[in-house]
Amino acid sequence: MLEVSALDAFYGDFHALFDVSFALNPGETLAVVGANGAGKSSLLGAICGLVTTRGEVRLNGKNLTNLSTPARAKAGIALSPEGRRMFTSLSVRENLLMGARVGRKGPWDLSSVGALFPILEEFADRPAGLLSGGQQQMVAIGRALMANPVVLLLDEVSLGLAPVIAEEVHAALAKLRGTSEMMTLIVEQDVRRALGGSDHYLCLLEGRDVMNGLSNAVDFDALSRAYFGESAA
Amino acid sequence: MIWVETLLNGLMLGGLYALFGLGLSLIFGVMKIANIAHGELAIGGAFLAFTVVGVVPVPLVILLPVIAVLMFGLGYALQSAMINRVLGDDPIPPLLLTFGLSILLQNLLVELYGANSRSLDPGSFGVAGIDLGGLSVGLLPLMTLLITITLFVALQWMLSRTSFGRTIRATSDDPEIVAMMGVDRRHIFALVMGLSALLAAVAGMLLATRTSITPFSGAERLLIAFEVIVIGGLGSIWASLLGGLVLGVVHAIGFRLDPASGLLYGHILLLIILLVRPEGLAGKRRTR
């Protein structure tokens, strides 16, 4: 179980996230929605320890708050970052192997990631920097899975991808849902798609949780108002 | 025939230059900083060797690896205790720190050893040579070139084929995201600085077998190392090898034409490369 309580995040003097709390049970997916600059990536960064934080992050009872980023990764937090952040001088296979470097055991290895994204097996020896955006997104997700994470953080999954490629990536993510105990946080521009592929949602506005609930019971009108910061009618 | 010999001598000298450049290029490639103390690490390695042979007169084949390992430790310690603390978005603090370290190490060497010039006695094969179809080639420079090529091949193998090498390349590509792979980049940086110090020290010791050095020789070595990576280019270790060999050959030819020219022809080559091909002979053109 992932428990985030009263989490704040800072970039230097800039306060990016205010008092965000939520809990996620094994196997569940949380969609994080919000406008640009609402603090979605900051939330993921705060869970990874990539930004300065205040508040608490607990994973299966273990307090991660004072752990370094590498230590959190070893505890089972994996990130597919915004902008995909390929190791451009490494081949696709080498990128995936970097993901396995945390040394966690589990179902994910080169062959199971290859089965999820067959194109990665085909392009295994290509430099990752030469792949298309969609293929790089698959490498980024595959690389995170290679860590056999307890918590998978997916940032901006379909940003900049052609609709048909975004569809393909989401189809692969749909296969992951419900098949394991892994908890997933997904940040996605396409709100309907994000809600369709998640159990819970959390809407951020200017770094604050303005609305949350069950994805299958969402009131889209209310969510739209929360998303854009209009006061409830 | 004399030109063939000049070419051979240039290549053998160039091997040594390449080794000076390699360590500097490695640091720049991974940490994106220029280590101004690189020359002092090379010269310091040679002075450490003087001390060791002064106490226990061991042959060069044992001395080289022993000092290399010691200097690896020193490089690791310097990085973790000092340089890691100033690494950030601003390239100036590490530049100033390594500049300070360079002066500090130089003065430390003067304090400990005095300003006299010294050299490492390579033993009987220092003067031995072999005859290659009418050309006489010194065994010592030949051994220097062989050691250099072995180190280049070993480093290339390590970087491209091992998990440690893959982690070094990944850290160079994106030092923030490797943390999400459980990698502490400060540890990787320290290991890389250790490697760089090791390579510098081997080059410094090999230099001291062919010429005499003083505690002030570091600055000139740093200049050579910079010229090697500017001429060869950044981005691969073969570029350093090429840069070193080209610089060595140019120096040898310059010496043959005009014995009083010193390093002049090398500097002219550097200038031409900067004007005509600033990314270096084998460097990758920056696309970003």
Side-chain angles (χ1 to χ4, degrees):
Chain A
M1 178 169 196
L2 175 71
E3 296 158 282
V4 167
S5 12
L7 197 63
D8 284 41
F10 305 86
Y11 296 94
D13 289 337
F14 179 65
H15 199 160
L17 199 66
F18 300 83
D19 193 30
V20 171
S21 303
F22 65 86
L24 211 54
N25 290 311
E28 288 183 334
T29 298
L30 172 72
V32 182
V33 299
N36 278 336
K40 308 183 294 294
S41 295
S42 304
L43 174 60
L44 301 196
I47 294 169
C48 299
L50 287 169
V51 296
T52 316
T53 60
R54 196 168 62 203
E56 209 172 72
V57 178
R58 301 180 82 88
L59 181 56
N60 296 332
K62 187 184 176 194
N63 190 347
L64 304 184
T65 314
N66 295 318
L67 295 185
S68 68
T69 300
R72 292 185 196 207
K74 284 173 187 161
I77 309 265
L79 171 71
S80 165
E82 182 180 5
R84 306 182 273 273
R85 306 283 284 265
M86 293 289 95
F87 299 123
T88 48
S89 63
L90 272 60
S91 70
V92 168
R93 185 188 289 111
E94 288 179 318
N95 266 275
L96 295 176
L97 287 171
M98 278 307 294
R101 206 181 172 286
V102 290
R104 297 177 52 86
K105 299 265 175 298
W108 295 104
D109 54 23
L110 284 176
S111 67
S112 54
V113 168
L116 184 67
F117 297 118
I119 194 82
L120 300 189
E121 208 144 60
E122 189 182 328
F123 289 169
D125 292 314
R126 292 202 185 177
L130 298 184
L131 300 187
S132 72
Q135 291 157 353
Q136 289 191 359
Q137 187 62 63
M138 294 172 193
V139 176
I141 295 171
R143 190 175 62 180
L145 286 172
M146 289 290 284
N148 285 299
V150 184
V151 177
L152 176 66
L153 307 174
L154 301 168
D155 203 351
E156 297 292 9
V157 172
S158 54
L159 186 67
L161 303 188
V164 58
I165 304 294
E167 198 65 52
E168 199 180 323
V169 171
H170 277 278
L173 291 178
K175 281 189 216 161
L176 296 179
R177 274 191 78 200
T179 56
S180 72
E181 296 288 273
M182 188 169 71
M183 292 166 266
T184 307
L185 263 74
I186 180 164
V187 170
E188 168 62 68
Q189 294 285 320
D190 183 336
V191 174
R192 278 181 195 274
R193 175 131 60 193
L195 292 175
S198 61
D199 305 291
H200 306 273
Y201 69 91
L202 173 66
C203 180
L204 293 173
L205 175 72
E206 291 171 354
R208 290 181 171 82
D209 173 2
V210 284
M211 193 173 166
N212 61 66
L214 290 171
S215 300
N216 59 12
V218 67
D219 172 349
F220 275 102
D221 289 333
L223 180 61
S224 166
R225 283 193 297 275
Y227 188 103
F228 292 108
E230 295 159 27
S231 52
Chain B
M1 211 53 164
I2 195 161
W3 288 107
V4 180
E5 205 176 301
T6 303
L7 186 70
L8 266 179
N9 282 333
L11 287 176
M12 290 186 290
L13 180 65
L16 189 55
Y17 288 172
L19 210 47
F20 279 112
L22 181 58
L24 194 66
S25 164
L26 192 63
I27 294 293
F28 195 86
V30 177
M31 290 178 234
K32 319 289 185 269
I33 63 167
N35 176 19
I36 306 295
H38 190 69
E40 276 68 34
L41 288 176
I43 297 301
F47 273 87
L48 191 60
F50 299 153
T51 303
V52 171
V53 283
V55 180
V56 201
V58 287
L60 209 54
V61 282
I62 297 172
L63 191 62
L64 277 175
V66 168
I67 301 294
V69 169
L70 288 176
M71 289 302 288
F72 176 90
L74 179 70
Y76 187 97
L78 275 182
Q79 183 72 32
S80 22
M82 303 177 82
I83 306 173
N84 271 340
R85 293 170 188 273
V86 299
L87 285 181
D89 294 332
D90 187 353
I92 300 296
L95 196 72
L96 291 177
L97 175 64
T98 57
F99 182 56
L101 273 177
S102 144
I103 295 171
L104 187 85
L105 287 172
Q106 192 183 89
N107 284 289
L108 192 69
L109 289 176
V110 176
E111 180 66 30
L112 291 174
Y113 299 95
N116 293 339
S117 63
R118 296 156 184 255
S119 59
L120 267 182
D121 181 8
S124 56
F125 73 56
V127 288
I130 49 169
D131 195 55
L132 287 178
L135 288 172
S136 115
V137 178
L139 265 189
L140 187 62
L142 201 60
M143 185 194 75
T144 301
L145 186 62
L146 279 179
I147 291 176
T148 299
I149 289 173
T150 307
L151 285 173
F152 268 86
V153 171
L155 190 69
Q156 174 65 25
W157 176 82
M158 193 271 288
L159 285 175
S160 62
R161 298 266 176 257
T162 69
S163 155
F164 174 51
R166 190 195 306 136
T167 304
I168 291 179
R169 284 181 291 137
T171 307
S172 165
D173 282 347
D174 195 326
E176 189 179 44
I177 288 303
V178 285
M180 285 310 296
M181 278 88 217
V183 176
D184 180 354
R185 65 178 171 200
R186 290 166 306 175
H187 178 61
I188 298 296
F189 287 165
L191 290 170
V192 169
M193 184 56 87
L195 268 179
S196 173
L198 178 154
L199 294 166
V202 170
M205 286 184 279
L206 291 173
L207 175 75
T209 59
R210 56 186 294 154
T211 179
S212 56
I213 58 169
T214 75
F216 305 107
S217 304
E220 192 185 304
R221 293 305 110 189
L222 178 68
L223 182 63
I224 295 279
F226 267 124
E227 292 194 347
V228 164
I229 62 178
V230 172
I231 291 168
L234 290 163
S236 88
I237 72 168
W238 301 120
S240 297
L241 185 61
L242 179 69
L245 294 178
V246 168
L247 188 64
V249 168
V250 167
H251 277 174
I253 292 172
F255 249 55
R256 177 71 68 195
L257 292 172
D258 174 9
S261 64
L263 302 179
L264 176 68
Y265 288 90
H267 299 333
I268 292 175
L269 173 68
L270 178 79
L271 199 62
I272 293 172
I273 295 281
L274 280 175
L275 288 172
V276 177
R277 205 179 151 79
E279 71 274 20
L281 294 174
K284 289 174 190 147
R285 230 173 245 276
R286 287 245 159 218
T287 47
R288 265 184 292 178

